[in-house]
Amino acid sequence: MPDETQTPTLNSGPAARTPHDPRALRLPGTGEAPAPWLLRLIAVGLVLAALNLRPAITSLGALLEEVREGLHMSGSVAGVLTSVPPLCFAVFGVMAPRLARRFGAGTVVCAGMAAIAAGLVIRPYAGSTAGFLAASALALMGIAVSNILMPVIVKRWFPDRVGTMTGLYSMALALGTALAAAVTVPLTGALGGDWQSGLAIWAVLAALAVLPWIVLVRDRTPAPGQPGNGPVGGPGATGDRSVGASGTRRADRPATVPTGASGIRPAEAPALRITRSRTAWGLAFFFGLQATAAYITMGWMPQIFRDAGVSAGTAGVLLAVTMAMGVPLAFVIPRVASRLKQQGPIVVVLGLCGLIGYGGLYLAPAAGAWAWALLLGVANCAFPLALTMIGMRARTGAGVVRLSAFAQSTGYLLSIPGPLLVGVLYQHSGGWGLPIALMAGLMIPQMAAGILAGRDRTIENEC
C-alpha cells in the first residue's frame, strides 16, 4: 500500500489548498461539498468492491481438483486456466483509464461489479472448458478495470484521507482473498457438495457490490489528473487549466491548450524514454516475477497440499493463511520501505522466505504445512513493496504514471506463462518436484530484479 506521504502535491502557491482543508472536498462537477451520507455510501462501495477483487481466483484454487474432474481438464488446460487472471489484468487493465474518461470511474466500477457477478454465476454452469474460460474472463475483466480505478475513486472523493481509505480497501482486498480460500470448501459442503454451487455463491457478494455504485453512474466528471480536471479543490478544478496557483489566469497560456491522458500539457510533460531506464526494467521484472509467484500460489497451492494428503478444507484454510498475511504486512512494508534509501534488503528477506517456503513444500509438504503457508504469505508481500518502489523511483507525478503503467503492464505480461508452465510440468512429471523447483528458481531472478529496482535513483536520471 503506498504511503500517504508519497501522494503527489496537488497544488502549490499561496492560494493552494492542502488536502486537509475542508474546502478542498467538493462534489465533482459542482462547487458543493458532498453530503456525508454520499461519502459513507462510497466508502461502503469501496470496501464491497475490494472484497470482490480476488474471490474469483482463490475460490477456484480451492476447488480446482473438482473443476478439473467435472470438466475433464488436463493439467495443461488447468494451467491455462490459472494463467487467465494475469492475462486479463494485462489486457483489460489498460482499458480502464479510457473507459473512465468516457463513462466516469463510478460507472465503470459499477459495470465491473456487474461483470464479476455475471461471470461468477455463468462459469460453473457453462458446461464446457471453453465456456468456463470465457465466463472467467468476463469476471476477471470486471476485476481488472475495478482494480485500476480504486485509487482514482479514493483520490477524487477522499482527497484528505488518501492513506486511510487506501489502507481500508487494501485490507478489504486481502480479506476477500483469504475469505474465499478459507470458506469455499465448507460452503460447497453445506450446499450439498456441488462444486458448481460452491463457485457460483460468490456471485451474491458481487451483486451486492453493484448497489452502492449505482448512485455514481451519472457522474462523468474526469478523475484527478485526467483531461478536463484541475487539482482537487484548487484553481482550475472546473476545467480552466489556464488558471495558475495564485488563482489568476496566465496570460502566456491560452485556456484551450490540450492535455494528454495524464492531464499534463505536452509542453510540461517530461520527455521520458522509459525503456532506456534500468530501474524501470528492474521494476517490471520484479513486478512480473512476484505476480507469477502470487498466481501460482493462488491457483496451485491448495492442490499441492491436497496431493500431499491434506484435506480439501484444510488446504483451503492454508491458502487463506497465506493470503491473510497481506493484511498486516501491507501496512508495515511500505512504511519501512519508504524510510530506506535502498529497498534491496527487504527484497532479499522476502525472497529468502519464499525459498524456505518452497523448500519446505518439496521436503515435507504436509508435516510443516502451516509454516510453509506463513512463509509463502510473507514472500507474497512483494506486491505492496513493488507498488511502493514505483512511487519512489520517479520524481514527478507524470513519471510515476509512466513508470506504473510500464512496470505493471509489462509485469503482468511476463507473469502469464508461469502458472501454465506449472500445469504442464505437473501433468508430464506426475508430481510436484519439478513445479516446486521452478517456483523456487524464479525467486533468484526476482531478488536480483528487486535489488536493481530498489537502488536509490529515479527514472528521470536514466531516461
Side-chain angles (χ1 to χ4, degrees):
M1 183 189 68
D3 191 87
E4 188 172 358
T5 60
Q6 297 168 0
T7 303
T9 302
L10 299 178
N11 208 341
S12 60
R17 295 170 185 169
T18 66
H20 296 282
D21 188 339
R23 294 174 298 169
L25 281 171
R26 291 293 180 264
L27 192 65
T30 76
E32 303 175 1
W37 69 265
L38 179 60
L39 292 179
R40 286 194 290 267
L41 184 64
I42 295 170
V44 170
L46 281 168
V47 171
L48 285 174
L51 285 171
N52 281 280
L53 294 181
R54 293 298 181 270
I57 304 170
T58 52
S59 63
L60 176 60
L63 293 175
L64 186 58
E65 182 174 321
E66 287 78 6
V67 173
R68 287 179 57 200
E69 292 176 355
L71 297 177
H72 307 291
M73 286 185 188
S74 66
S76 299
V77 174
V80 171
L81 185 59
T82 55
S83 293
V84 169
L87 174 62
C88 289
F89 288 175
V91 172
F92 297 121
V94 298
M95 298 167 53
R98 181 175 298 179
L99 290 171
R101 288 194 296 269
R102 176 84 179 268
F103 302 105
T107 303
V108 177
V109 173
C110 185
M113 294 298 108
I116 295 170
L120 291 181
V121 79
I122 291 171
R123 72 175 183 177
Y125 305 104
S128 67
T129 299
F132 191 96
L133 287 168
S136 295
L138 175 62
L140 291 164
M141 177 180 67
I143 293 172
V145 296
S146 300
N147 198 42
I148 293 294
L149 294 178
M150 289 291 100
V152 174
I153 297 290
V154 168
K155 190 172 182 179
R156 177 188 297 177
W157 293 96
F158 303 95
D160 60 335
R161 287 174 284 169
V162 171
T164 300
M165 297 307 297
T166 301
L168 182 64
Y169 84 72
S170 296
M171 188 167 60
L173 189 153
L175 179 61
T177 305
L179 189 66
V183 307
T184 295
V185 172
L187 275 176
T188 302
L191 294 170
D194 180 11
W195 66 266
Q196 294 170 310
S197 300
L199 290 182
I201 193 66
W202 292 102
V204 175
L205 183 62
L208 288 175
V210 173
L211 301 178
W213 295 100
I214 295 175
V215 73
L216 293 184
V217 165
R218 298 184 65 182
D219 174 28
R220 303 296 175 86
T221 308
Q226 291 181 348
N229 196 18
V232 176
T238 58
D240 184 1
R241 291 180 296 275
S242 63
V243 177
S246 63
T248 59
R249 183 179 297 279
R250 298 178 183 176
D252 61 340
R253 185 172 294 152
T256 56
V257 173
T259 61
S262 64
I264 300 172
R265 296 180 188 85
E268 297 174 343
L272 293 176
R273 296 185 179 180
I274 201 163
T275 54
R276 293 185 175 181
S277 169
R278 291 184 178 180
T279 298
W281 279 109
L283 265 172
F285 275 95
F286 181 66
F287 192 95
L289 289 168
Q290 67 80 28
T292 300
Y295 288 108
I296 289 174
T297 298
M298 286 188 283
W300 287 109
M301 198 174 83
Q303 190 67 52
I304 295 174
F305 285 126
R306 292 180 68 173
D307 287 352
V310 177
S311 68
T314 302
V317 174
L318 287 165
L319 177 60
V321 168
T322 299
M323 298 296 105
M325 292 299 296
V327 176
L329 292 182
F331 285 93
V332 175
I333 288 177
R335 283 165 171 74
V336 174
S338 65
R339 287 167 171 77
L340 300 176
K341 287 188 176 181
Q342 300 193 36
Q343 290 72 47
I346 303 178
V347 170
V348 172
V349 169
L350 297 181
L352 289 176
C353 286
L355 285 173
I356 296 171
Y358 289 130
L361 279 182
Y362 181 83
L363 296 173
W370 296 100
W372 317 141
L374 286 169
L375 286 168
L376 292 175
V378 174
N380 277 345
C381 288
F383 175 68
L385 177 60
L387 294 183
T388 304
M389 288 198 290
I390 287 173
M392 298 179 69
R393 296 286 89 89
R395 289 198 305 265
T396 65
V400 171
V401 171
R402 292 285 303 277
L403 180 58
S404 179
F406 175 76
Q408 294 200 49
S409 60
T410 304
Y412 278 129
L413 287 173
L414 289 171
S415 71
I416 293 170
L420 172 61
L421 187 55
V422 166
V424 172
L425 290 175
Y426 173 55
Q427 179 180 354
H428 291 283
S429 67
W432 286 107
L434 286 178
I436 291 174
L438 171 66
M439 299 176 209
L442 289 176
M443 295 304 301
I444 305 301
Q446 178 178 319
M447 286 191 285
I451 292 170
L452 175 64
R455 296 176 301 168
D456 184 19
R457 61 190 63 197
T458 62
I459 59 171
E460 288 86 355
N461 294 333
E462 298 178 336
C463 298

